Amino acid sequence: MKAAAVPRRRFVALGAAIVIFIVSLAATATRLYTVETDVAREFGENLVWSVAQNETELLRFTETLRRYGEGESTAGELQRRFDLLWSRLSVPREGEMNTWLRAVPEAWSIIDRVLVELARIEPRVEALAPGDAEEAKAIAAELHALLPDLHDATLATSHAEIARLTAWSRSREQALITALFLLLGLVVSAGMLVALLLAELRSRRVLVATAEAAEAAARESEQRLRDMIEAATDWVWETDAENRFVFLSGRLRELSGEDPKRLIGRTREELRLPDDDDEANWTWYRTLMQRREPFHDFEFPYADVAGKRRWARIHGRPIYDAEGRFAGYRGTGRDITTERAATAAIAESRALLRAVIDAVPAIINVKDRDARYVLMNRFQGEMYGVDPDAAIGKTSADFTGSYGGQSREFDQEVIDTGRALPFRERKFVDAKGGRRVWWTAKTPLKDAAGVVRHIVTVALDITELKAAERARTNLARYFSPNLVELLIAKDEPIGQVRRQEVAVVFADLVDFTRLSARETPERTMMLLRDLHARLTDVVLSHGGTLEKFLGDGLMATFGTPVRGPRDASNALECTVGMIEAILSWNSQRIAAGEAPLRIGIGAHFGPVILGDVGTDRRLEYAVVGDTVNVANRLEEMTRRLGAAAVVSRALVEAARGEPTPSPRLEMFQPAAAQVIEGHDEKLEVFVLHADRLVAAGTKTIPFPGPSRLARG
């Protein structure tokens, strides 16, 4: 009896272990099911997308506001767009999204502040009159100030959702590992049980007395196993040597409504759906069955009693009789319809988020506390010349050398201080050897305890912007702002040759030859630089275009490269301004013991020919025509008439006909008509004497007369 009691105790202990494993496996399966269900429920709606739409809707409203202020939109459209903006901001604060958003306090508070701000601005929007562009711009400016906050809300929500997905993935991974170990334990225990049973059968003559008791225990154990099978979340199945079902647990009926008895005697392939065209999947399954090998995770679609398409995942292993003959397969199955839907939804959300991040033409990455990448977008991968997926787990120093070390220092600063680093310029050499300039900022991601766990980096490539700034600065040294903006905006020459009415102004120092003869070359050039600087400031401040320097003078145009509403008035005001500049300069020169200067200015208004001249290697924007020649003759005429400026009646009349004529127009007095070389008729002119400016209140030293200039 004692000898029989020993194996009996082994059987009992082994059976108890199997029960414990099965219960643990069922608990793990329940946990997995709970995790999958929670994911399907909590990630059904895309909170990140909903919050991100707030920025888009705000931009659409400001655009409608601008158009309404310019009279291009109606009050109804403006109100509708405002209501849409309000509704979009309110969506994350309703239903389950409200609960998820409250878990992101930063995003919640930002949206709450934006709603309060919208409520404050709403009366101004309702009171806004069509065409009130100034008020519309003011409201739009206040709304644009909200965009950075909304962007921060989107980032905060994205970080929170990523953290939740990460936590779920870890939980699911742990549950799967636990289930795997339990299943392995169950298989090992079952194997041990079979071994013991075989040993007992071989010792039948010795253990006859215990056989009946073991049989009863086996029946009891079988019933217990069946009870647990019926209570499990998965269904259990068994086939014979011809792969026809001989057993299906009742759990199948609960999941699909299918009566297990109706499937007895049929093979799995006989139940295959007509539209299941994944032949590779079924070929893999058939191959394992023919080899009589265990299989795991065979997924296939099936139809429930209502004809609805569902998905199952089954596992199976071959079974053999006492003589070692193949007897069929036994395994478990699970309905994974909900799991696949949740997985697809998560994959779609991840793909969308990844697509958005990869579509941004800027570096976006996330690193851990050891400066190892956990995320790198495609733009950065192209800059570094690496595969973004291959960069995971590596540091910047692995790709960029010394710059990687500097990046590590910045990351460590964020970790040590817990504060974001503002945007700053950094130089970088890309994978192709190109030198680039980045506008970079770093932001910490903290856990619930406030410890920095990750660092988010955003870097904008401002290389072209910096180059454009340098180009603008270089062009400004040689061209007027009008031409600088036009040259920067165009990749080709300024345009076709055309005829256009403009005002042309010539300015020149009187008796400069005599003056320069008494000065050293260095002082003469210093005088010219000072003269050009003062006159250029006046031309540009009145919207003129500096065409060229003419030794001791210059030529300027008004109305190039495009015409304006008061080109003639600007030319007259520039003429007065240059005379005033010379008068002011004379005050300084006389105080320094230097001779005063005298300037002569001629101005005319009429048609000219505009266009590029030169070759592909050297182009120059030229203004030519009789109007230019007449303006030059009028400047030469100032010596004979003893005037500071001589302008044509055409210029004066053009200024009078403009919407806002120059208030200084009356300072020009009519003079006798003058003969112009190359013209049959005399030209009516107006003159301006420097003493009229002094009499009008210009507190400066007047122009010297010819004799005084000669004495100087």
Side-chain angles (χ1 to χ4, degrees):
M1 292 297 294
K2 291 183 179 180
V6 173
R8 185 182 301 115
R9 286 197 296 270
R10 291 202 300 267
F11 280 113
V12 172
L14 192 56
I18 292 175
V19 171
I20 292 174
F21 274 118
I22 292 176
V23 172
S24 300
L25 185 61
T28 303
T30 302
R31 180 182 175 191
L32 280 171
Y33 178 77
T34 302
V35 170
E36 304 297 340
T37 304
D38 290 344
V39 170
R41 182 181 68 254
E42 295 189 13
F43 293 94
E45 299 185 54
N46 195 326
L47 178 61
V48 176
W49 180 87
S50 181
V51 173
Q53 281 298 104
N54 292 335
E55 297 180 61
T56 303
E57 202 59 51
L58 181 58
L59 289 173
R60 289 173 178 167
F61 175 70
T62 55
E63 174 61 17
T64 303
L65 185 63
R66 178 193 68 74
R67 293 173 54 241
Y68 184 76
E70 295 177 356
E72 299 177 358
S73 180
T74 64
E77 182 181 357
L78 181 65
Q79 185 61 45
R80 182 178 65 82
R81 183 54 65 184
F82 183 85
D83 292 341
L84 286 175
L85 174 58
W86 184 272
S87 298
R88 172 54 59 189
L89 285 167
S90 300
V91 165
R93 296 166 56 89
E94 299 174 354
E96 290 189 354
M97 277 196 182
N98 179 43
T99 303
W100 303 335
L101 187 61
R102 283 186 177 275
V104 190
E106 181 180 355
W108 172 269
S109 61
I110 288 174
I111 292 178
D112 192 58
R113 290 199 306 272
V114 173
L115 284 171
V116 171
E117 187 66 15
L118 283 181
R120 182 185 66 79
I121 294 175
E122 183 175 12
R124 295 174 58 190
V125 175
E126 293 176 348
L128 183 64
D132 190 350
E134 293 300 324
E135 177 64 8
K137 289 180 180 178
I139 296 174
E142 295 183 27
L143 291 175
H144 270 287
L146 302 176
L147 282 174
D149 288 342
L150 288 177
H151 185 68
D152 291 342
T154 302
L155 287 178
T157 305
S158 299
H159 299 160
E161 289 296 281
I162 290 173
R164 286 209 302 153
L165 283 173
T166 302
W168 171 82
S169 297
R170 291 175 179 171
S171 177
R172 184 173 182 272
E173 180 181 352
Q174 293 173 357
L176 286 173
I177 292 173
T178 302
L180 178 60
F181 278 103
L182 289 174
L183 184 59
L184 290 175
L186 180 62
V187 172
V188 171
S189 299
M192 293 175 64
L193 179 61
V194 171
L196 288 173
L197 287 173
L198 292 175
E200 288 301 311
L201 289 175
R202 294 190 187 97
S203 306
R204 185 180 181 87
R205 288 173 299 177
V206 181
L207 301 175
V208 171
T210 59
E212 294 181 358
E215 183 180 355
R219 286 195 297 268
E220 181 181 355
S221 177
E222 181 182 357
Q223 184 59 44
R224 186 183 303 114
L225 181 60
R226 287 182 178 273
D227 292 342
M228 287 187 292
I229 288 174
E230 295 299 327
T233 56
D234 295 353
W235 67 77
V236 178
W237 57 270
E238 185 176 338
T239 63
D240 59 16
E242 296 179 354
N243 293 325
R244 298 186 180 278
F245 286 111
V246 296
F247 173 77
L248 284 162
S249 65
R251 180 63 177 162
L252 179 63
R253 182 195 301 272
E254 299 177 19
L255 292 172
S256 66
E258 182 67 74
D259 183 3
K261 295 180 180 179
R262 196 181 69 85
L263 305 180
I264 299 300
R266 304 175 67 181
T267 66
R268 186 167 283 113
E269 291 219 33
E270 291 174 353
L271 301 173
R272 179 179 174 182
L273 295 181
D275 61 347
D276 182 1
D277 56 359
D278 191 352
E279 192 59 38
N281 187 40
W282 283 94
T283 299
W284 170 79
Y285 168 73
R286 290 192 206 100
T287 301
L288 292 179
M289 297 292 283
Q290 291 170 0
R291 294 176 181 174
R292 297 176 181 176
E293 296 179 359
F295 64 87
H296 301 278
D297 297 327
F298 175 51
E299 298 182 3
F300 59 92
Y302 71 97
D304 60 17
V305 291
K308 182 178 179 181
R309 188 183 184 92
R310 303 185 68 85
W311 283 85
R313 178 191 296 132
I314 63 171
H315 317 283
R317 62 180 296 109
I319 55 177
Y320 299 88
D321 61 18
E323 284 72 31
R325 292 189 297 267
F326 175 70
Y329 268 86
R330 184 181 296 129
T332 59
R334 168 179 293 187
D335 186 274
I336 59 170
T337 306
T338 303
E339 176 186 337
R340 285 178 66 94
T343 301
I346 293 172
E348 183 179 356
S349 297
R350 286 179 173 175
L352 177 61
L353 179 60
R354 183 72 196 199
V356 171
I357 293 175
D358 285 341
V360 175
I363 284 179
I364 300 177
N365 66 58
V366 180
K367 303 176 191 172
D368 62 17
R369 290 178 61 87
D370 296 322
R372 294 188 296 263
Y373 285 97
V374 297
L375 182 146
M376 175 188 288
N377 73 339
R378 182 170 56 194
F379 184 86
Q380 182 175 1
E382 293 173 354
M383 289 294 103
Y384 281 24
V386 299
D387 180 359
D389 293 331
I392 304 305
K394 298 181 180 179
T395 67
S396 295
D398 295 328
F399 312 119
T400 60
S402 61
Y403 180 83
Q406 185 184 29
S407 180
R408 180 71 179 96
E409 295 175 5
F410 294 145
D411 292 340
Q412 191 61 47
E413 182 178 349
V414 174
I415 294 173
D416 294 340
T417 64
R419 296 191 299 270
L421 293 184
F423 279 101
R424 64 182 68 178
E425 287 187 16
R426 299 178 189 171
K427 295 182 179 179
F428 176 67
V429 178
D430 63 22
K432 298 180 180 179
R435 298 185 178 274
R436 314 196 73 81
V437 181
W438 295 110
W439 188 239
T440 306
K442 293 180 179 288
T443 302
L445 295 180
K446 303 179 181 179
D447 59 17
V451 178
V452 177
R453 295 300 180 188
H454 296 89
I455 303 96
V456 178
T457 301
V458 177
L460 305 176
D461 187 354
I462 60 172
T463 307
E464 294 182 1
L465 178 62
K466 298 293 289 185
E469 290 179 356
R470 290 193 298 271
R472 187 187 301 273
T473 300
N474 291 334
L475 287 172
R477 298 176 181 174
Y478 304 100
F479 301 98
S480 68
N482 292 350
L483 279 177
V484 168
E485 296 301 327
L486 193 59
L487 288 169
I488 291 176
K490 298 180 70 68
D491 295 330
E492 300 177 354
I494 291 179
Q496 298 179 345
V497 176
R498 63 190 185 278
R499 187 181 299 275
Q500 182 173 306
E501 288 196 334
V502 301
V504 182
V505 176
F506 278 87
D508 187 66
L509 278 181
V510 178
D511 288 335
F512 173 73
T513 302
R514 184 183 306 171
L515 178 64
S516 62
R518 299 195 303 270
E519 299 287 353
T520 64
E522 292 78 9
R523 288 181 58 83
T524 299
M525 293 304 297
M526 186 180 302
L527 172 68
L528 290 178
R529 291 194 184 100
D530 204 351
L531 171 71
H532 291 158
R534 294 171 185 270
L535 297 185
T536 299
D537 287 343
V538 177
V539 170
L540 300 183
S541 66
H542 287 85
T545 297
L546 180 61
E547 297 297 335
K548 61 185 71 176
F549 291 117
L550 305 170
D552 58 337
L554 57 79
M555 170 187 169
T557 58
F558 294 81
T560 59
V562 294
R563 297 193 60 182
R566 56 189 321 272
D567 295 331
S569 296
N570 287 340
L572 291 175
E573 292 178 356
C574 176
T575 299
V576 177
M578 286 193 288
I579 297 172
E580 290 178 335
I582 297 301
L583 292 174
S584 176
W585 191 16
N586 281 343
S587 299
Q588 301 171 20
R589 289 179 60 83
I590 292 174
E594 298 175 331
L597 304 175
R598 181 183 175 195
I599 192 172
I601 302 173
H604 185 42
F605 186 88
V608 299
I609 298 175
L610 307 176
D612 299 320
V613 296
T615 68
D616 292 339
R617 294 175 58 87
R618 175 73 164 84
L619 284 177
E620 181 176 327
Y621 185 69
V623 179
V624 298
D626 186 62
T627 299
V628 177
N629 298 331
V630 170
N632 189 26
R633 297 288 186 271
L634 293 178
E635 182 274 319
E636 296 172 351
M637 198 179 294
T638 57
R639 282 79 164 167
R640 179 162 49 84
L641 299 180
V646 179
V647 302
S648 67
R649 174 176 288 278
L651 178 61
V652 172
E653 294 299 331
R656 287 173 177 170
E658 291 176 342
T660 55
S662 171
R664 295 191 166 189
L665 188 59
E666 302 306 323
M667 302 183 73
F668 293 85
Q669 299 297 315
Q674 301 294 316
V675 176
I676 301 297
E677 182 181 348
H679 286 249
D680 296 333
E681 298 181 359
K682 292 184 177 181
L683 183 69
E684 296 185 48
V685 299
F686 286 69
V687 297
L688 173 62
H689 296 280
D691 54 4
R692 286 187 60 83
L693 293 176
V694 177
T698 302
K699 297 179 179 180
T700 53
I701 302 300
F703 282 163
S707 59
R708 180 179 175 185
L709 191 62
R711 291 195 303 270

